[in-house]
Amino acid sequence: MKLFNSVLVSLAALSAVANAGKFSSTHDEFKKNDQIEIQCVQLDSDGHEVVSGKKDSLKYISPTCVETRKPLQVYYGFDGPIQCSVKSDDPFHETMLRSIAFDKPLRCRIPRNKLAFPKYMHLPMRIEGTKASSDRAVRIAGSFNAVFHGQNGNLVAASVYPIVDHALPQTVAGVSTVQIAQKWYEGAGMSTLMANKRHEEEFIIQPIVALMFCILTACIVYVAGRVYVESSVIPHAIKKHLAEREHSGRPGEETKKSQ
């Protein structure tokens, strides 16, 4: 009974170790469909980049999307369209118009990982526009392609560029719509789409976990072998030995009775 309980305890420990190692990616790495915010430096009325009061650092802003009421975000490892409608009173909308007026690409950035103080990747974004036929107002050409490269949960390359001669997203009630078609690749090359790759990094077992796994496996094998030997092999050997002794003792008993 004690050996049986030992087997159960070993199996439970082995299951716990396996589950601990199943998702062993560190917390600072992106997982599939994690949201990644894009920020750009705000431009003033003269087309200059705005500097905040903190150590003369650039002031990064992100539009608040009407659809989600959240900043503009892409999704790690997700291939597909993203739409973000920006109201005309949003500072980012004004920055886009100034980028067009001064023919100045926006200086944007995107975090490479999920650290509290992450390293950023520079992401220049050129904003195209066109004048409406009815008036002289400038419409933002909000159609973009975005290509990202991720490796082991970290962003290693990124590019966002406008699509020229493309139908403009509809602008209604003072809202400009930005549409981004994003595509993710695994690693630095462009041969493996992340959507077609199984994310083995989510199932990597760390060395210490692998060692514990081996030790527990050896313990289970030892306990199972001992249970088999003590419950089956030894009783069978004893029974066989007693039977042989009993069989070998019968001729002597018969001789003693005849005398």
Side-chain angles (χ1 to χ4, degrees):
M1 189 66 180
K2 291 183 178 180
L3 290 175
F4 180 72
N5 291 335
S6 299
V7 172
L8 292 181
V9 172
S10 299
L11 288 174
L14 181 60
S15 176
V17 171
N19 289 330
K22 184 177 180 180
F23 299 100
S24 58
S25 299
T26 58
H27 295 294
D28 59 352
E29 297 173 353
F30 289 121
K31 306 292 190 305
K32 186 174 176 60
N33 293 327
D34 273 353
Q35 299 176 350
I36 311 176
E37 182 179 346
I38 296 179
Q39 300 175 327
C40 301
V41 178
Q42 184 176 5
L43 299 179
D44 61 19
S45 57
D46 296 324
H48 299 143
E49 295 178 335
V50 177
V51 177
S52 64
K54 298 179 180 179
K55 298 182 181 179
D56 293 333
S57 59
L58 296 172
K59 183 178 181 180
Y60 284 90
I61 60 174
S62 183
T64 300
C65 303
V66 174
E67 294 83 356
T68 61
R69 296 182 181 179
K70 294 181 180 180
L72 174 61
Q73 296 170 328
V74 296
Y75 299 87
Y76 186 85
F78 170 74
D79 291 345
I82 297 174
Q83 180 167 303
C84 179
S85 299
V86 187
K87 293 183 178 180
S88 57
D89 59 353
D90 191 305
F92 193 88
H93 186 274
E94 194 65 34
T95 291
M96 288 193 294
L97 292 177
R98 290 167 181 170
S99 174
I100 297 171
F102 292 97
D103 192 23
K104 186 173 185 176
L106 296 181
R107 188 205 299 250
C108 303
R109 68 180 185 180
I110 186 170
R112 296 185 58 184
N113 48 47
K114 295 170 63 176
L115 289 172
F117 300 96
K119 291 183 178 180
Y120 286 92
M121 178 171 292
H122 293 295
L123 189 68
M125 184 181 297
R126 183 175 183 83
I127 309 297
E128 298 285 350
T130 182
K131 290 184 178 180
S133 57
S134 58
D135 52 28
R136 296 184 178 181
V138 175
R139 288 190 60 190
I140 297 172
S143 296
F144 296 87
N145 279 342
V147 179
F148 301 98
H149 293 258
Q151 189 167 20
N152 298 326
N154 291 271
L155 192 66
V156 296
S159 177
V160 177
Y161 52 92
I163 305 175
V164 297
D165 298 330
H166 191 272
L168 298 177
Q170 293 295 324
T171 301
V172 293
V175 176
S176 292
T177 300
V178 174
Q179 295 175 341
I180 301 177
Q182 62 173 352
K183 185 75 71 175
W184 284 82
Y185 291 91
E186 180 70 26
M190 301 189 71
S191 58
T192 305
L193 285 171
M194 193 176 292
N196 298 335
K197 185 179 184 301
R198 183 175 178 267
H199 291 264
E200 289 88 353
E201 64 270 11
E202 296 182 356
F203 299 91
I204 293 175
I205 298 179
Q206 299 296 336
I208 185 64
V209 178
L211 178 60
M212 293 298 299
F213 191 91
C214 293
I215 293 175
L216 286 174
T217 302
C219 291
I220 290 177
V221 171
Y222 167 76
V223 173
R226 185 172 177 180
V227 168
Y228 173 74
V229 170
E230 293 185 1
S231 63
S232 179
V233 176
I234 293 178
H236 180 73
I238 294 175
K239 184 177 181 181
K240 183 178 179 180
H241 177 70
L242 292 176
E244 290 176 351
R245 285 186 60 184
E246 182 180 357
H247 179 73
S248 62
R250 286 177 181 176
E253 293 177 359
E254 292 177 357
T255 302
K256 186 177 181 180
K257 290 179 180 180
S258 62
Q259 292 175 354

